[in-house]
Amino acid sequence: MTHAVDPLLTTLLHTTPLFSAHVALGARIVPFAGYEMPVQYAEGILAEHHWTRAHAGLFDVSHMGQAVLAGADHAACARALEALLPADIVNLAPGRQRYSQLLDPSGGILDDLMVTRPRDPGENGRLLLVVNAACKAADFAHIAGHLPAGVTLTPLLDRALVALQGPQAAAALARHCPDATGLTFMEAGPAVFDGLPIHLSRSGYTGEDGFEISLAASDAPQLWAALLAEPEVKPIGLGARDSLRLEAGLCLYGHDIDTTTSPVEAGLAWSIQARRRTAGGFPGAARILKELADGPARMRVGLRLDGRAPAREGAEIVHGGRTVGTVTSGGFAPSLNAPIAMGYVPPALAAPGTRLDLMVRGKALAATVTALPFVPARTARKPAKEA
Amino acid sequence: MTSVRYSKDHEYVRVEGEEGVVGISHYAQSQLGDIVFVELPELGKVVEPGQEVAVVESVKAASEVYAPVSGAVIAVNAELEGNPALVNTAPEGEGWFLRLKITNPAELDALMDEAAYKAFVASLG
């Protein structure tokens, strides 16, 4: 029942600028994507999960890859990136960010990422990218290898990334950074936190309101300690990060999405804006535009199990005695006090209410297809404009 | 007289006459974290040492629980169905998994006593 770490591997693991803070907080450290990361702190995953949904959770996500893409102007930079992903970056407004996917030539997903256009006019021609830790070396090589002359990619190796998530995140952050509450969901901009320069976005991976804060690695311990001193804020490890994102119906790269899945199959068509659907011009466009028109061969769905036993990644999905798909993420949903999962099934079996079986240790566990997210999002979306 | 013996896989068996109460150690639950489900065997199941006899699910993962000694399952802890967290709060008490009719008491000698297990856990760092 112990998870031994290969001593050779340990010597190769990186740490984030907050590693000693995690150790001091009593974190359980595990190897993750080449880093020694906190999977949980002293209170454990369930308590951390509930705390984030009720108050505010502080996450170290400095293992993720941050980079700047720079060109002569926004159009040049945006068009270079649009050659690699299906989002409309040309029309991304200053101070806005967008979720997208790096695609391979057959429309499979190499990684998912956040793209931010800086708000400051002085930063015209730059885009900020955040990619997954496990993919960052390959992503940066892929992007750099496909850039036209005049556009360059610079990984930000000396930056930390911290997320503050939960219904009380804005109140806690505003005591140190009054500008924070001026942002709405998926807006970003430079800000100052207790005198420290930061780059702030109102975004996250929990379904809650919250922020992601990029700052100099050397400033990260001060910001981390200042936020933890707020009564609403507790540190949250990767374990609860996973259960929170699963409840929010968000994909985890390498599990729910990979090179065998397209954005349309994965239910991410909302992240392909109208101009790209008409004009194409991204890797795998022929397949993806066809899937948008005719429907994909399979679809990612949410699954709610009848009983108490969870179904994990890899469990077969069965209907009428026939294997129809596979679970890609599964576990226990603390907010629902029930097991949930996500997986891929044929479109005919993807409607909410469809009854399916998940095979766990040779037993069929009954489950129902459920609309995603499992737990309603409470992000700080901009109010709809009046007509 | 009762005595508790531990396996290297962190199961315990508390010997009560010819029967043994089986569960996972305090150390095991602390490593697994919050327990959300325990799959218990059918009554009458016959097991040998090292054979899977239950599955314990934490928020993060499923882990097998192995029989520390040979025997037949004569009772399971029904309380765990509604309150699996008992494994966290009282692993060697109310959070027991199952009761075995021990068929080969000599196997107990291959297991660790409390002092030896304590030293074993300490050696794991």
Side-chain angles (χ1 to χ4, degrees):
Chain A
M1 255 177 240
T2 52
H3 307 281
V5 178
D6 185 329
L8 271 176
L9 181 66
T10 310
T11 61
L12 298 172
L13 292 175
H14 302 282
T15 56
T16 76
L18 296 166
F19 178 75
S20 53
H22 302 318
V23 172
L25 287 163
R28 177 170 305 158
I29 303 292
V30 298
F32 180 83
Y35 282 77
E36 291 193 76
M37 296 298 290
V39 67
Q40 64 167 81
Y41 298 87
E43 292 190 25
I45 295 173
L46 285 181
E48 292 170 23
H49 181 112
H50 290 306
W51 184 269
T52 305
R53 289 262 183 260
H55 306 285
L58 186 61
F59 303 72
D60 177 17
V61 287
S62 301
H63 56 316
M64 298 186 80
Q66 302 183 66
V68 173
L69 193 66
D73 55 24
H74 174 68
C77 192
R79 288 195 190 283
L81 193 58
E82 284 194 357
L84 303 176
L85 51 74
D88 183 346
I89 304 299
V90 168
N91 292 307
L92 181 61
R96 299 286 302 176
Q97 68 180 175
R98 215 154 240 185
Y99 170 77
S100 191
Q101 308 85 36
L102 294 171
L103 299 177
D104 71 16
S106 60
I109 301 174
L110 295 167
D111 196 9
D112 59 347
L113 76 166
M114 296 292 279
V115 180
T116 305
R117 182 176 177 184
R119 191 169 62 201
D120 182 350
E123 297 208 56
N124 186 38
R126 290 161 70 89
L127 292 169
L128 308 174
L129 312 182
V130 178
V131 304
N132 280 297
C135 304
K136 63 183 177 183
D139 288 352
F140 293 159
H142 171 74
I143 295 168
H146 289 82
L147 292 177
V151 181
T152 58
L153 181 76
T154 307
L156 300 174
L157 303 175
D158 57 352
R159 301 284 286 181
L161 191 65
V162 166
L164 184 67
Q165 301 280 296
Q168 296 174 344
L173 182 56
R175 281 178 221 126
H176 302 269
C177 180
D179 293 344
T181 50
L183 298 175
T184 58
F185 185 55
M186 298 298 267
E187 285 187 336
V192 176
F193 181 104
D194 291 349
L196 304 174
I198 62 172
H199 189 267
L200 187 64
S201 65
R202 198 154 194 172
S203 54
Y205 195 45
T206 60
E208 297 295 330
D209 183 22
F211 300 85
E212 290 170 302
I213 305 162
S214 172
L215 75 169
S218 55
D219 291 340
Q222 182 190 330
L223 174 137
W224 179 266
L227 286 173
L228 276 188
E230 295 299 332
E232 302 95 336
V233 179
K234 288 189 179 185
I236 311 297
L238 293 181
R241 181 169 161 85
D242 191 51
S243 56
L244 289 158
R245 72 91 197 166
L246 180 57
E247 287 185 346
L250 298 170
C251 291
L252 176 60
Y253 191 80
H255 301 265
D256 307 299
I257 49 175
D258 58 27
T259 53
T260 71
T261 59
S262 79
V264 184
E265 290 176 336
L268 304 174
W270 58 268
S271 67
I272 307 174
Q273 284 77 26
R275 183 176 64 83
R276 306 305 309 275
R277 296 180 184 219
T278 313
F282 51 84
R287 171 198 180 176
I288 287 169
L289 297 180
K290 185 173 187 306
E291 286 180 346
L292 285 169
D294 303 338
R298 55 181 187 155
M299 297 170 75
R300 178 173 60 98
V301 294
L303 298 159
R304 178 109 183 222
L305 287 85
D306 287 4
R308 302 283 306 170
R312 308 285 179 177
E313 180 179 4
E316 286 187 359
I317 305 173
V318 170
H319 181 260
R322 199 167 56 88
T323 299
V324 294
T326 308
V327 168
T328 52
S329 280
F332 186 77
S335 303
L336 303 172
N337 194 29
I340 57 171
M342 299 196 295
Y344 285 84
V345 297
L349 298 173
T354 305
R355 297 286 286 168
L356 299 168
D357 285 324
L358 310 183
M359 299 306 295
V360 175
R361 298 184 285 275
K363 288 179 198 148
L365 305 183
T368 303
V369 175
T370 306
L372 295 172
F374 297 99
V375 172
R378 298 192 293 180
T379 48
R381 288 183 185 276
K382 191 180 277 186
K385 287 195 184 100
E386 285 176 36
Chain B
M1 164 186 158
T2 64
S3 69
V4 184
R5 298 276 165 158
Y6 295 86
S7 74
K8 287 192 170 171
D9 296 316
H10 307 286
E11 292 89 12
Y12 67 83
V13 52
R14 191 171 68 244
V15 182
E16 297 179 357
E18 295 180 339
E19 297 176 6
V21 176
V22 174
I24 65 171
S25 71
H26 178 77
Y27 174 80
Q29 72 77 25
S30 75
Q31 291 297 301
L32 291 170
D34 299 309
I35 304 301
V36 297
F37 178 74
V38 180
E39 184 177 287
L40 294 168
E42 303 280 320
L43 293 183
K45 182 179 170 112
V46 175
V47 291
E48 293 176 4
Q51 191 179 339
E52 182 184 314
V53 69
V55 176
V56 59
E57 300 255 8
S58 69
V59 180
K60 277 203 74 63
S63 305
E64 290 83 21
V65 176
Y66 304 109
V69 292
S70 299
V73 177
I74 54 173
V76 296
N77 185 358
E79 291 293 315
L80 297 184
E81 190 177 339
N83 190 6
L86 283 174
V87 179
N88 291 119
T89 55
E92 299 182 35
E94 290 178 300
W96 62 281
F97 281 30
L98 53 99
R99 185 175 279 268
L100 286 177
K101 175 89 175 168
I102 297 174
T103 51
N104 185 0
E107 289 167 356
L108 292 165
D109 296 337
L111 299 172
M112 291 172 273
D113 65 17
E114 202 163 351
Y117 179 69
K118 211 169 164 182
F120 173 65
V121 166
S123 76
L124 300 174

